[in-house]
Amino acid sequence: MRLTGLKLLPIRLHLKHPFVSAHETLSERLVTLVAVRDENGNWGYGELEAFTTLFYTNETQAIEQMVLRQYLWSVVRNQEFTTPPDLYAHLQVLKGHHFAKAALDMAVWDLYAKQQQLPLAAVLAKQVHAQWQDHVAVGISLGLQDDEPLLAAAQKAQEQGYQRIKLKVKGNADLQRIGRLRQRTSIKSLTVDANQSLQWTKDLAATIDRLQLTFIEDPVPQPSAKWAQQMHTPICLDEPITSVDQAKYAWRLQLGQIISVKQAVIGGLTPALELIMAHRQLGFDIWCGGMLEGGIGRAANLALASLTDFAYPGDLSATERYYQKDYTTPLHVTQGLMPVSHDAGVGVDLLPMYQELLDQQKTIC
Ligand code: OSB
Ligand code: MG
């Protein structure tokens, strides 16, 4: 197979409610639909998931669109390949720009899965000799908010059956808010994501342990083995893990026990499969993180998270939880489970309006 055309379609999604983290407040999410065409005229879809600001990573939508068009495309166009990892090898020689590589890689996996007439979950599973489940246990991430709205949101999430509830926090003092929620609810699996906003003080470990979390994600800006050992609560590393090598390195330094797999951040589904192999070899736990993806990105994460290597329910909440209207057919959660599509490819379809907009875009050859 070879790629003969590329299209990019920027899409602005409006969040129902602003999503607030220690980094920033998101009221809208700009993603770019990336479409690649093979020599037979079939199309595969990926999603560019960089943000529009530099608060979370050093890549942005505008920069990565340009990198895709001007740098990545010239390396992959018309290259003969058999599997997505074969093509990825050509991208690997280029430095950085993981979000752009991930978007392209996702589109190639979708195209490949459609060609094999298999669901994306099945081709990913086959590549690493894993099993995939057709219903995936999912979790929800609740942004920074006051006690009462947070309690209401947490209770709603419990009613919807979300199997893990994650709360954003900002700063040491804010952990008291989590303690208060703990006392007012009976959440079985609670996690906290501090987005590196805590400062290590001598009583922080004990304060965190009292919250009885399943794990704490990114407590501090500079994780250390010494701190990790002082705490019973397992540490999950998200933001420090920007590549498969970083994950292996962090594990060797004992900075945390759990790694959040963000395919977009580490450069795509192909590196995510490498990370799965590393988890098997080295023994750290993995789960599927999220970044308020649009439909294609969310469906790709769902396919990945369906592999039985993932130890905890992913940040994979239903489309309707964030967006009134997405650009694809929606993904639903029933009793905390999200069904994985058995259709060929990534498993969601573009809504007609976006298909039309994509059709109108110029093909880069
Ligand atoms: O740190 O995990 C994070 C959203 C955007 C960027 C980073 C993060 C997040 C979330 C939300 O926590 C996860 C989701 O529901 O998609
Ligand atoms: Mg995080």
Side-chain angles (χ1 to χ4, degrees):
M1 163 161 57
R2 59 196 174 84
L3 302 183
T4 61
L6 170 74
K7 281 187 180 192
L8 302 183
L9 178 68
I11 296 172
R12 196 176 296 275
L13 299 172
H14 299 279
L15 287 165
K16 281 184 177 174
H17 310 284
F19 185 79
V20 189
S21 75
H23 290 308
E24 65 177 324
T25 299
L26 285 167
S27 314
E28 52 178 32
R29 183 74 167 102
L30 189 82
V31 296
T32 302
L33 174 60
V34 175
V36 293
R37 187 185 61 195
D38 71 8
E39 71 275 31
N40 300 316
N42 304 312
W43 289 90
Y45 303 124
E47 184 178 279
L48 172 59
E49 291 164 10
F51 293 93
T52 51
T53 62
L54 292 166
F55 296 118
Y56 188 67
T57 73
N58 59 2
E59 299 180 39
T60 70
Q61 280 288 325
I63 296 168
E64 300 320 306
Q65 284 172 10
M66 192 271 276
V67 167
L68 253 166
R69 256 192 239 111
Q70 295 197 11
Y71 296 90
L72 306 188
W73 181 243
S74 57
V75 165
V76 297
R77 68 185 281 271
N78 286 323
Q79 284 283 355
E80 276 295 339
F81 67 97
T82 311
T83 67
D86 295 341
L87 190 68
Y88 201 89
H90 296 279
L91 295 177
Q92 226 143 16
V93 300
L94 306 178
K95 298 259 189 275
H97 299 288
H98 287 176
F99 280 87
K101 289 174 182 171
L104 187 59
D105 189 42
M106 194 188 291
V108 174
W109 274 104
D110 179 41
L111 188 58
Y112 175 72
K114 284 172 178 163
Q115 194 193 51
Q116 311 265 309
Q117 293 183 314
L118 287 170
L120 177 60
V123 292
L124 294 175
K126 204 166 149 200
Q127 187 72 26
V128 288
H129 310 290
Q131 300 296 316
W132 64 283
Q133 300 163 292
D134 63 4
H135 283 78
V136 179
V138 296
I140 192 169
S141 174
L142 303 177
L144 294 173
Q145 52 203 304
D146 292 337
D147 285 57
E148 296 311 318
L150 180 63
L151 178 66
Q155 284 171 340
K156 190 173 166 199
Q158 274 183 302
E159 283 163 22
Q160 290 165 329
Y162 280 104
Q163 304 203 14
R164 183 188 49 80
I165 297 181
K166 156 168 151 180
L167 307 177
K168 293 288 198 179
V169 301
K170 184 178 186 176
N172 295 36
D174 195 26
L175 289 170
Q176 290 171 14
R177 195 171 49 90
I178 311 303
R180 291 194 296 273
L181 183 86
R182 237 329 177 201
Q183 285 178 352
R184 295 173 75 185
T185 56
S186 57
I187 299 166
K188 267 204 230 98
S189 179
L190 185 70
T191 66
V192 156
D193 186 357
N195 290 102
Q196 307 185 316
S197 69
L198 306 183
Q199 279 178 10
W200 200 266
T201 57
K202 67 174 182 349
D203 50 2
L204 183 66
T207 306
I208 292 172
D209 282 343
R210 272 198 298 277
L211 296 172
Q212 292 185 295
L213 306 176
T214 303
F215 57 77
I216 183 159
E217 185 175 332
D218 290 339
V220 291
Q222 269 123 20
S224 100
K226 203 173 103 195
W227 293 336
Q229 278 156 15
Q230 288 173 27
M231 211 163 50
H232 296 295
T233 310
I235 291 182
C236 164
L237 302 168
D238 172 22
E239 286 164 64
I241 309 304
T242 55
S243 66
V244 179
D245 281 345
Q246 284 290 332
K248 292 180 183 171
Y249 190 58
W251 173 250
R252 289 209 181 94
L253 293 180
Q254 297 185 290
L255 303 183
Q257 297 88 330
I258 303 159
I259 304 277
S260 159
V261 178
K262 289 216 172 133
Q263 50 79 23
V265 174
I266 62 172
L269 292 167
T270 298
L273 296 178
E274 276 175 47
L275 190 47
I276 287 176
M277 298 308 283
H279 128 83
R280 288 187 200 162
Q281 197 192 352
L282 301 176
F284 52 81
D285 277 342
I286 53 171
W287 71 288
C288 184
M291 289 184 297
L292 286 78
E293 290 77 11
I296 299 282
R298 194 173 295 248
N301 278 355
L302 176 65
L304 185 65
S306 78
L307 273 52
T308 49
D309 290 84
F310 287 79
Y312 304 94
D315 272 350
L316 276 162
S317 16
T319 307
E320 57 152 29
R321 131 110 180 103
Y322 286 123
Y323 306 112
Q324 212 92 46
K325 191 162 166 258
D326 201 343
Y327 66 94
T328 64
T329 47
L331 290 166
H332 299 292
V333 171
T334 320
Q335 290 170 349
L337 297 174
M338 202 179 252
V340 183
S341 170
H342 285 253
D343 296 342
V346 70
V348 285
D349 293 315
L350 302 182
L351 296 184
M353 178 186 124
Y354 290 97
Q355 184 67 61
E356 273 168 41
L357 286 171
L358 188 66
D359 291 345
Q360 288 159 18
Q361 293 289 311
K362 196 170 112 277
T363 305
I364 304 164
C365 296

